[in-house]
Amino acid sequence: MLNEKLKHHNIILASGSPRRQAFFKELGLDFTIRLKPVKEEYPPRLTHFEISNYLAQLKALPFKDELQPKDILITSDTIVWHQNKALGKPRDTAEAFSILKSLSNTTHEVITSVCFTTTNFEKTLHDTTKVTFKALSNEEIEYYIKNNKPFDKAGAYGIQDWIGRIGVTKIEGSYFNVMGLPVHLVYKTLNAIANHN
């Protein structure tokens, strides 16, 4: 449905995430994947969704000079916000363990920002989901890290993985947002772009 409306546009997804790519396929959209390396660093003064907004916009920068009039570039970033700090991707097993231990028996926020860039505008939006974990045993955390190797995931876990199935007791907000894309907002925004053009 949306693909028909956007048939005169070129959707470019600048994400190596297989989960985000799958969401776009499931929306029935034709898109191309283009990747450019970006050093994901942000000013220390930023907090909460300011961080993911900044990083989503940062990922769009290398493409700006080459966008064509009918291109819609989509970049995004997900962070886990817990105890007033952003939890990124763990560097090693020890860091993954420490992150998951801190999330155990508490509620944290998962924030995903999505930046839409064309030759004449840029729009960034974000969505926040609250996720509550049960008390995770050391054995459960170690088992998960060993078997799922969550080193490419903010907050050291994927909600669709084993640990999400056995550990998450409550979700407030979009489940897909926790997986890395607020699909409902992406659909709504692309619809607005299609109707506007």
Side-chain angles (χ1 to χ4, degrees):
M1 188 165 89
L2 186 54
N3 203 40
E4 179 60 25
K5 287 185 185 176
L6 289 164
K7 66 183 176 193
H8 299 301
H9 292 79
N10 306 312
I11 297 173
I12 302 160
L13 177 63
S15 174
S17 159
R19 293 169 298 284
R20 288 187 185 128
Q21 292 169 14
F23 283 138
F24 273 75
K25 286 188 186 115
E26 286 156 15
L27 280 172
L29 294 171
D30 292 328
F31 64 97
T32 52
I33 295 161
R34 263 193 242 165
L35 303 174
K36 287 183 188 280
V38 170
K39 205 167 189 189
E40 295 185 28
E41 291 176 347
Y42 57 88
R45 67 175 189 280
L46 299 182
T47 65
H48 206 251
F49 71 85
E50 294 170 346
I51 296 170
S52 49
N53 276 7
Y54 178 90
L55 291 172
Q57 290 163 4
L58 185 72
K59 290 174 181 177
L61 274 179
F63 294 90
K64 292 247 170 114
D65 293 339
E66 57 190 54
L67 287 180
Q68 300 301 308
K70 289 293 180 185
D71 290 348
I72 304 169
L73 174 73
I74 300 171
T75 52
S76 62
D77 191 78
T78 300
I79 63 161
V80 168
W81 185 256
H82 186 51
Q83 294 166 343
N84 286 318
K85 65 172 192 273
L87 303 177
K89 297 167 185 171
R91 283 184 292 267
D92 52 35
T93 299
E95 193 175 11
F97 184 89
S98 146
I99 288 173
L100 288 167
K101 198 73 189 156
S102 78
L103 297 179
S104 172
N105 208 25
T106 62
T107 299
H108 61 273
E109 292 181 316
V110 180
I111 308 160
T112 300
S113 295
V114 185
C115 177
F116 298 82
T117 308
T118 69
T119 50
N120 54 11
F121 82 93
E122 182 173 276
K123 179 186 175 88
T124 306
L125 46 88
H126 73 276
D127 197 26
T128 303
T129 306
K130 288 185 177 177
V131 180
T132 304
F133 267 112
K134 76 177 184 85
L136 298 164
S137 70
N138 289 355
E139 193 183 20
E140 285 166 341
I141 294 172
E142 284 161 3
Y143 174 86
Y144 172 65
I145 295 167
K146 183 175 175 234
N147 288 283
N148 287 84
K149 301 180 176 48
F151 305 113
D152 63 334
K153 295 179 173 76
Y157 80 95
I159 197 162
Q160 69 278 20
D161 294 345
W162 178 83
I163 204 158
R165 294 192 185 102
I166 66 105
V168 172
T169 57
K170 189 178 179 188
I171 297 176
E172 295 172 71
S174 163
Y175 173 82
F176 300 116
N177 187 52
V178 186
M179 282 178 72
L181 199 72
V183 182
H184 62 293
L185 290 182
V186 170
Y187 177 81
K188 183 181 169 185
T189 307
L190 285 174
N191 240 325
I193 292 171
N195 292 334
H196 184 68
N197 287 309

